Amino acid sequence: MWFKNLQIYRLSAPWTVTPEQLEERLAAQSFAPCANLDMQSQGWVSPRDNGMLVHTVNKQMLLMLGTEKKLLPSTVINQVAKARAAELEEQQGFAPGRKQMKEIKEQVTDELLPRAFSVRRSTRVWIDPVNGWLVVDAASTAKADEVFKLLLKAIDKLPVQNLRTERSPQAAMTDWLSADEAPSGFTIDQDTELRAVTEGKATVRYVRHALEAEDVQRHIAAGKQCTRLAMTWADRVSFVLTESLAVKRLAPLDVLKEDADKSAFGEDERFDADMTLMTGELSKLLNDLVEALGGEAREPH
């Protein structure tokens, strides 16, 4: 149930779409598998395999975007097209031109697509109307953009904006390491990345390695900035904060796992209890993280 990566966005206005209204609007973009000549298909799927596209617990909403993609590498297309071009050259006495070669590749693609293997993946979305968060469980902004592309078809004026803080994560993380002191409520763990701002972008990474204050301070004095930092929040959740204000490798710690073990018995009740626990903890984590970064950036007048 727990998200593994957080692409974090702010609701820029009160969320007024009810779960029932959202369900109805998402239905128009529900997932359908790739047709024979489709390279990719995307649409909304049920987070609980019960036919419902919006799963709601305590006003918290969970959505899931499904993606199916055909595996047809360009090297395969080029290889088959090259063989076809050689046959055609033998028949007509001269090599195919650019236009004819393009047509051959298109024909080969159409022939191979129906037989191509496909892979499916899903991207989960958490909407928190109470605390004003929209979070995508994705390691990259590109995956989050796929979510917004379809959400904008369902909600014409989607009240979402990028999260901006008074201090950049890079500057704040560098200061925390330089002072050898984590912000209140957090501890610094053993993974970090320091990168020079010069053209060469020389990079030093510590992986499961104790951070010696003197070594880190020496790298910072030489002009490197912290771009990734492993941290723990309130002894409850571990994660890696990046320079783009994304959270990666999110994991609940033992104290939360123990809470979850006691929470429910049936599968549905257990899922809802896990969702309640996750959304409750993450909303607090996000608030504390924003505070550690100087609060949200004020809009310029």
Side-chain angles (χ1 to χ4, degrees), residues 124-145:
R124 295 180 297 176
V125 186
W126 162 40
I127 301 173
D128 178 0
V130 179
N131 299 291
W133 300 110
L134 189 150
V135 177
V136 181
D137 183 5
S140 68
T141 56
K143 296 288 190 299
D145 289 342

Side-chain angles (χ1 to χ4, degrees), residues 1-6 124 136-139 238-240 247-251 278:
M1 172 65 234
W2 276 77
F3 282 21
K4 293 181 174 60
N5 301 285
L6 309 180
R124 295 180 297 176
V136 181
D137 183 5
S238 67
F239 63 95
V240 173
V247 168
K248 299 191 175 184
R249 286 169 34 195
L250 184 83
M278 183 193 78

Side-chain angles (χ1 to χ4, degrees), residues 243-260:
E243 60 184 325
S244 62
L245 196 43
V247 168
K248 299 191 175 184
R249 286 169 34 195
L250 184 83
L253 300 183
D254 288 343
V255 63
L256 283 182
K257 291 177 183 177
E258 290 170 7
D259 290 346

Side-chain angles (χ1 to χ4, degrees), residues 12 92 99 127 152-153 172 175 188 215 228 243 245 261:
S12 55
Q92 62 189 19
K99 182 180 178 182
I127 301 173
L152 282 166
K153 292 182 179 179
D175 284 350
I188 293 174
D215 288 345
R228 294 170 65 94
E243 60 184 325
L245 196 43
D261 289 340

Side-chain angles (χ1 to χ4, degrees), residues 2 5 15 63 88 101 110 114 130 153 156 183 203 216 256 258 261 264 290:
W2 276 77
N5 301 285
W15 183 270
L63 319 177
L88 193 59
M101 199 66 210
D110 289 348
V130 179
K153 292 182 179 179
D156 187 30
T203 303
V216 171
L256 283 182
E258 290 170 7
D261 289 340
V290 167

Side-chain angles (χ1 to χ4, degrees), residues 70 87-88 123 141 167 262 268:
K70 295 280 185 70
E87 293 174 5
L88 193 59
T123 306
T141 56
R167 302 191 68 203
K262 302 171 186 174
D268 289 341

Side-chain angles (χ1 to χ4, degrees), residues 78-274:
N78 291 337
Q79 184 178 349
V80 177
K82 186 177 179 181
R84 293 276 177 89
E87 293 174 5
L88 193 59
E89 181 178 358
E90 191 173 327
Q91 293 171 9
Q92 62 189 19
F94 57 90
R98 183 179 298 177
K99 182 180 178 182
Q100 198 172 19
M101 199 66 210
K102 181 183 178 186
E103 291 172 352
I104 292 172
K105 285 186 178 181
E106 289 174 351
Q107 183 181 6
V108 167
T109 301
D110 289 348
E111 290 175 8
L112 295 179
L113 263 178
R115 292 179 282 157
F117 290 106
S118 61
V119 292
R120 290 189 182 184
R121 60 177 170 81
S122 57
T123 306
R124 295 180 297 176
V125 186
W126 162 40
I127 301 173
D128 178 0
V130 179
N131 299 291
W133 300 110
L134 189 150
V135 177
V136 181
D137 183 5
S140 68
T141 56
K143 296 288 190 299
D145 289 342
E146 293 175 352
V147 166
F148 289 124
K149 183 178 179 181
L150 260 71
L151 266 183
L152 282 166
K153 292 182 179 179
I155 303 172
D156 187 30
K157 294 182 179 178
L158 187 66
V160 173
Q161 63 186 21
N162 289 326
L163 174 63
R164 295 169 54 248
T165 53
E166 285 291 337
R167 302 191 68 203
S168 73
Q170 183 170 294
M173 292 187 296
T174 302
D175 284 350
W176 299 336
L177 287 176
S178 180
D180 193 23
E181 185 175 353
S184 177
F186 295 85
T187 54
I188 293 174
D189 296 336
Q190 294 188 327
D191 289 20
T192 191
E193 179 181 278
L194 297 158
R195 189 173 64 219
V197 296
T198 53
E199 188 175 343
K201 297 191 182 300
T203 303
V204 175
R205 293 187 181 94
Y206 291 82
V207 180
R208 292 188 293 275
H209 191 288
L211 305 183
E212 298 293 340
E214 290 184 4
D215 288 345
V216 171
Q217 289 164 358
R218 187 175 68 253
H219 286 300
I220 293 172
K224 292 184 178 70
Q225 298 280 305
C226 183
T227 54
R228 294 170 65 94
L229 184 62
M231 305 178 75
T232 294
W233 169 74
D235 295 327
R236 297 170 76 80
V237 178
S238 67
F239 63 95
V240 173
L241 179 63
T242 74
E243 60 184 325
S244 62
L245 196 43
V247 168
K248 299 191 175 184
R249 286 169 34 195
L250 184 83
L253 300 183
D254 288 343
V255 63
L256 283 182
K257 291 177 183 177
E258 290 170 7
D259 290 346
D261 289 340
K262 302 171 186 174
S263 60
F265 300 98
E267 184 180 343
D268 289 341
E269 292 84 354
R270 175 64 178 275
F271 185 92
D272 287 354
D274 284 347

